[in-house]
């Protein structure tokens, strides 16, 4: 439901080149869910130090506790696509906030390892929902000229959340052992509660409303998120053209289309995709795979251990060094948000991945030297600088672009569930890295693990070079053509059949 007059709303800037304030506000509110997820990820890097001591846990239990979030996020992400197609993008964000709320309360209570795990699992389902829905919602309300900025906000908010988690570690770490880590984990319940209510004041995605046959509502919202009525009308026509429908058809058969949408989406997406859709799916799955296969989760989640290997031994200094990782990540993602719509996705991505290769290689070399020859001053310094450099290169390209790119390339009716497949792959890789990193360091040393990550980053660079075309400035409705496709013929055929049945 729209709570403002489209003609008088202050966000309706009459200058078509300016970013629409209302669309920006909606994207910011939707991205709050990503702050909560980022906080849950970041806070665990320090909280695990205290949890291990309080609950007498071993390395395997800590690995499972850290990684289980992502396995449960896999369930959430696969469910979120269908859920958002049924109840809408807006209420899916609200649902994810409620799930986070329940998980945070249980983790904050955490009398033993079992309850802590249950809370972590529930929060993981919320993560899956949040990672899929926030970028999709932001992409669907954005104009082509500012979509890169608005769709990268969830990744920026994840980084801010991670930074807040690190700061929380440092502040609450000074409290008593039993109280400190529980406050670190439980405090995330408050923003979840605020978001669950706040999101209901936001408009629904106009593209989702069109697919439901609710054209009048979609038109009103499109005026709100556009700078002029002419722009709103043009964007609205593009949405209809992408599905190859007109207003008469969709009014006549909207109920039949909604009934049959879920049955055909997976066939068009996975079982018998058009060539262009197949390339889109490969691109989305590939970029999500490489985002975590290159090792960012190992650095974010286990940075205190990496710095300890590099010679930082004080607990306070370890946590402060970790705060530095969070600051670096947030700073460079902020830069990326302003460059995405100017420089383009592809140039940033290639530069980012190339820099990651060099940073990972130097980190691997320095950690190997420290392990073999002891506390060499130059190797200790190089390992710390390389860690920050890796986070910086990741954050200015691969980090935010993964979510921007995968949320904008799918055709309208396949977008939510296509994005959910990408998120599922993302969570599988995240869980794989976070749950195996400590074991791998014991098997092939910490330096050896980062040599592996460097090799994967080289493969990622070549994949991006050949498989990911530039999407800067293109309307969402033209993405399939970029990958060599035409209009979504399947939508048109189904609508023509249903129209004949209605007319007869």
């Amino acid at each position: 439901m729209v709570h403002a007059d489209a003609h008088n709303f202050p966000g309706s800037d009459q200058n078509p080149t300016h970013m629409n304030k209302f669309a920006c506000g909606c994207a910011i509110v939707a991205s709050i869910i990503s702050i909560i997820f980022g906080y849950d990820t970041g806070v665990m890097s320090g909280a695990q130090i205290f949890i291990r001591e309080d609950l007498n846990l071993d390395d395997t239990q800590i690995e499972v506790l850290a990684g289980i979030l992502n396995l449960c996020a896999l369930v959430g992400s696969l469910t979120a696509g269908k859920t958002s197609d049924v109840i809408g993008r807006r209420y899916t964000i609200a649902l994810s906030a409620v799930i986070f709320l329940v998980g945070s309360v249980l983790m904050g209570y955490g009398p033993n390892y079992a309850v802590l795990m249950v809370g972590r699992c529930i929060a993981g389902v919320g993560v899956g929902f949040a990672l899929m829905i926030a970028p999709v919602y932001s992409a669907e309300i954005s104009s082509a000229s500012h979509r890169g900025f608005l769709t990268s906000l969830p990744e920026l908010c994840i980084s801010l959340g991670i930074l807040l988690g690190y700061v929380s570690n440092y502040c609450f770490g000074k409290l008593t052992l039993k109280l400190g880590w529980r406050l670190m984990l439980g405090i995330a319940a408050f923003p979840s509660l605020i978001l669950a209510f706040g999101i209901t004041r936001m408009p629904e995605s106009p593209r989702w409303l069109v697919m439901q046959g609710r054209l009048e509502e979609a038109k009103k919202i499109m005026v709100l998120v556009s700078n002029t009525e002419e722009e709103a009308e043009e964007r609205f026509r593009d949405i209809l053209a992408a599905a190859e429908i007109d207003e008469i058809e969709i009014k006549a058969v909207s109920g039949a289309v909604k009934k049959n949408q879920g049955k055909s989406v997976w066939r068009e997406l996975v079982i018998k995709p058009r060539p262009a859709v197949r390339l889109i799916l490969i691109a989305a799955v590939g970029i999500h795979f490489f985002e975590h296969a290159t090792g960012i989760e190992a650095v974010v989640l286990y940075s205190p251990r990496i710095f300890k290997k590099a010679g930082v031994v004080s607990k306070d200094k370890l946590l402060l060094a970790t705060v530095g990782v969070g600051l670096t990540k947030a700073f460079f993602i902020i830069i990326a948000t302003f460059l995405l719509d100017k420089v383009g996705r592809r140039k940033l991505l290639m530069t980012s991945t190339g820099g990651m290769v060099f940073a990972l290689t130097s980190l691997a070399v320095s950690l190997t030297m420290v392990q073999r020859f002891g506390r060499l001053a130059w190797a200790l310094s190089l390992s710390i600088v390389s860690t920050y450099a890796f986070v910086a290169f990741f954050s200015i390209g691969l980090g935010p672009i993964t979510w921007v790119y995968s949320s904008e390339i799918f055709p309208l009716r396949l977008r939510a569930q296509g994005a959910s497949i990408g998120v599922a792959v993302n969570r599988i890789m995240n869980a794989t890295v976070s749950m195996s990193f400590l074991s791998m360091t014991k098997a092939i040393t910490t330096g050896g693990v980062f040599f592996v990550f460097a090799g994967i980053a080289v493969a990622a660079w070549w994949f991006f070079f050949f498989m990911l075309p530039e999407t800067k400035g293109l309307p969402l409705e033209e993405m399939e053509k970029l990958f060599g496709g035409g209009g979504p013929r399947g939508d048109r055929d189904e609508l023509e059949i249903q129209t004949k049945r209605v007319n007869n």
Side-chain angles (χ1 to χ4, degrees), residues 401-417:
I401 290 172
T402 296
W403 302 98
V404 172
Y405 204 87
S406 61
S407 64
E408 68 185 0
I409 57 176
F410 285 100
L412 173 58
R413 66 185 257 100
L414 308 179
R415 186 171 299 130
Q417 298 198 43

Side-chain angles (χ1 to χ4, degrees), residues 289-290 292-295 353-365 390 398 440 444 446-464:
F289 172 86
F290 284 117
H292 286 290
T294 47
T353 311
M356 286 166 59
V357 171
F358 288 105
L360 286 167
T361 303
S362 64
L363 179 57
V365 169
F390 169 65
L398 182 56
M440 289 174 66
I444 61 173
T446 306
V449 174
F450 282 101
F451 273 122
V452 172
F453 289 148
I456 295 172
V458 171
W461 193 94
W462 286 107
F463 177 85
F464 300 151

Side-chain angles (χ1 to χ4, degrees), residues 60-358:
T60 301
Q61 289 174 306
I62 290 293
E63 273 188 331
V64 172
L65 181 64
I68 198 69
L69 183 85
N70 297 298
L71 289 179
C72 294
L74 173 62
V75 176
S77 63
L78 291 174
T79 309
K82 178 63 177 176
T83 302
S84 70
D85 279 345
V86 174
I87 69 174
R89 316 310 197 210
R90 180 177 57 155
Y91 287 116
T92 303
I93 296 174
L95 178 60
S96 66
V98 172
I99 295 171
F100 266 126
L101 173 64
V102 175
S104 298
V105 169
L106 283 175
M107 287 191 291
Y109 171 57
N112 52 50
Y113 184 68
V115 173
L116 193 59
M117 282 289 290
V118 171
R120 190 80 169 154
C121 287
I122 292 174
V125 175
V127 167
F129 272 77
L131 287 174
M132 190 288 296
I133 194 60
V136 167
Y137 179 85
S138 298
E140 291 190 343
I141 64 168
S142 307
S143 64
S145 58
H146 296 101
R147 190 176 59 246
F149 176 85
L150 295 182
T151 312
S152 66
L153 288 179
E155 178 66 16
L156 172 60
C157 288
I158 289 173
S159 294
L160 292 176
I162 290 172
L163 176 58
L164 289 173
Y166 291 158
V167 172
S168 173
N169 289 154
Y170 184 71
C171 296
F172 291 126
K174 299 180 184 300
L175 301 178
T176 61
L177 179 62
K178 290 189 178 295
L179 179 62
W181 68 264
R182 288 180 171 87
L183 280 177
M184 292 176 195
L185 299 179
I187 202 170
F190 292 104
S192 303
L193 186 62
I194 294 169
L195 179 61
F197 287 102
I199 199 72
T200 59
R201 303 292 299 174
M202 290 169 53
E204 183 52 83
S205 160
R207 288 173 167 88
W208 180 80
L209 290 172
V210 166
M211 295 307 294
Q212 304 304 303
R214 295 158 61 178
L215 293 185
E216 289 304 316
E217 291 177 68
K219 281 183 176 179
K220 290 178 182 177
I221 294 171
M222 191 58 80
V223 171
L224 285 173
V225 298
S226 301
N227 289 331
T228 64
E229 290 192 16
E230 291 76 14
E231 180 193 344
E233 186 64 32
E234 182 180 354
R235 290 173 65 184
F236 187 71
R237 286 198 303 268
D238 286 343
I239 296 172
L240 296 181
E244 294 193 2
I245 56 181
D246 58 43
E247 296 190 26
I248 297 175
E249 284 180 328
I250 199 166
K251 286 176 181 176
V253 304
S254 60
V257 171
K258 283 186 284 183
K259 188 183 297 183
N260 289 288
Q261 268 184 344
K263 295 179 181 178
S264 59
V265 164
W266 286 104
R267 176 175 59 81
E268 292 183 36
L269 193 58
V270 179
I271 300 172
K272 290 184 178 180
R274 299 185 295 277
V277 172
R278 185 182 296 111
L279 290 175
I280 288 171
L281 185 61
I282 290 171
V285 168
I287 196 170
H288 276 288
F289 172 86
F290 284 117
E291 183 189 28
H292 286 290
T294 47
I296 188 62
E297 192 68 10
V299 172
V300 169
L301 198 56
Y302 296 110
S303 52
R305 288 173 178 260
I306 295 170
F307 289 129
K308 194 170 183 179
K309 289 280 186 185
V312 181
V313 291
S314 163
K315 189 179 289 186
D316 269 1
K317 288 182 179 178
L318 282 173
L319 293 178
L320 277 175
T322 305
V323 170
V325 171
L327 283 170
T328 303
K329 197 170 191 296
F331 176 75
F332 280 94
I333 287 182
I334 290 171
I335 293 176
T337 59
F338 291 100
L339 293 178
L340 277 166
D341 291 315
K342 294 179 180 178
V343 177
R345 285 63 154 156
R346 186 175 167 85
K347 288 180 182 177
L348 276 181
L349 189 60
M350 303 308 295
T351 303
S352 164
T353 311
M356 286 166 59
V357 171
F358 288 105

